Amino acid sequence: MSVGQHPLVEQLLLCRASGRGLMKQLDKKTFRLVSNLLLLLSTVLSLRVHGRSEAPILLVLGQPVERTLSGGETQRYQITLGAGECVVLELDAGEAHLYWGAWLEKDKELAGGDLEKATRKIWLLAEQATTYFLEVTPASPKAPARQYRLLVTEQRPATEADRNIFQAEVSQQQAVNFYGHNDENSLRQAVAQSQAAAARWDAAGHQGDAGINYNLLGLSLLRLNEITAATQAFEQALKRFRTLGDHSQAAKVTNNLAGMLVRAGEAQAALNYLSSTLDERGQPPSVLETARAHIFAGIAYKLLGDLTKARSFLELGWQLASS
């Protein structure tokens, strides 16, 4: 996603409008404001921007669909399952950053997520005959045209393993929905659902999906101000992403940890986490996460009294955030 198009970046750039004051002063109130906004940027919520849509295309087993998608467009598909059936779809984002959602009916999203320059499998399951709708849309409304590929690889009777994975997808989406409400009861529900999803993904051997849910668990606990539990959840996510060598996802988690520590005034501990994101020898994370890392590092150096490094990191961070 282009950072400059993210709905919360506009709020960050409002801070930059008084950036001269940020460089000069950066008092505790400003630390809290900026770090809160930056932590919000890390959420796994699918902030979809639905654009021009179309009549759904019927998906058929073994017949790949290769299409081009631009910002502001939503492309829709449908597939019908018999009672007790499972389908496995393979979505290849190519060079794009996409959001996908599986729907039973209008405004009832059952599962979904984002996919950036990667391929993932999607499980759909029906205990009774059911028609699913799948939507694919770019992460940014100004995204350039990019090609992606969608294929139904399997359609067969569901197994218990299929049911476990499908329920993990459903629990994950429920966690995302509850997290978006941001009241205490909803956040408690988000905690329960993300814990359930993470356990199911782990049992299925999907460490990356488990890591995504541990990250959401950490964000939910952080909003509940349960710092120790949040740290433990973020560490579980980080462990899985590092095992997979997924530097991009690991950067999201280290930034969340760093942001939490910056808010607590623990500048050096924050920099220790940020070092892996800022290490240019590693696989570079997204522009968004690179911007977050530089801004957090700038705030941390300001806390430590190193104004030269603070100014350097903050200026680069704002530059990336507005690119």
Side-chain angles (χ1 to χ4, degrees), residues 2-62:
S2 171
V3 182
Q5 308 308 324
H6 196 288
L8 289 172
V9 168
E10 297 304 319
Q11 298 180 52
L12 281 173
L13 296 180
L14 287 176
C15 295
R16 191 188 180 218
S18 58
R20 299 174 188 83
L22 183 69
M23 298 294 185
K24 293 177 182 176
Q25 200 163 336
L26 265 175
D27 57 22
K28 289 183 178 179
K29 184 177 180 181
T30 309
F31 290 154
R32 195 172 297 111
L33 169 65
V34 175
S35 59
N36 282 344
L37 287 173
L38 286 164
L39 280 170
L40 283 172
L41 284 173
S42 70
T43 64
V44 296
L45 296 179
S46 298
L47 300 172
R48 292 175 178 78
V49 182
H50 291 284
R52 300 181 301 278
S53 61
E54 57 185 10
I57 293 175
L58 184 66
L59 293 173
V60 179
L61 176 65

Side-chain angles (χ1 to χ4, degrees), residues 110-111 165-178 189-190 192-198 200-201 213 216:
L110 193 65
I165 292 175
F166 179 67
Q167 189 54 55
E169 290 180 332
V170 172
S171 294
Q172 178 173 321
Q173 185 61 42
Q174 289 176 341
V176 168
N177 294 341
F178 281 123
Q189 293 288 340
Q193 292 296 332
S194 53
Q195 286 175 326
R200 288 182 182 276
W201 285 123
N213 282 274
L216 177 57

Side-chain angles (χ1 to χ4, degrees), residues 179-197:
Y179 180 85
H181 293 308
N182 200 29
D183 59 87
E184 182 175 356
N185 182 62
S186 294
L187 289 171
R188 295 291 177 196
Q189 293 288 340
V191 166
Q193 292 296 332
S194 53
Q195 286 175 326

Side-chain angles (χ1 to χ4, degrees), residues 66-105:
E66 295 185 2
R67 303 181 71 190
T68 299
L69 187 64
S70 302
E73 293 181 328
T74 297
Q75 294 178 350
R76 304 179 69 228
Y77 303 89
Q78 75 177 62
I79 187 166
T80 299
L81 281 69
E85 273 195 333
C86 168
V87 295
V88 182
L89 301 99
E90 184 177 271
L91 177 60
D92 182 354
E95 293 299 308
H97 184 183
L98 304 174
Y99 285 133
W100 65 272
W103 305 72
L104 285 173
E105 56 191 58

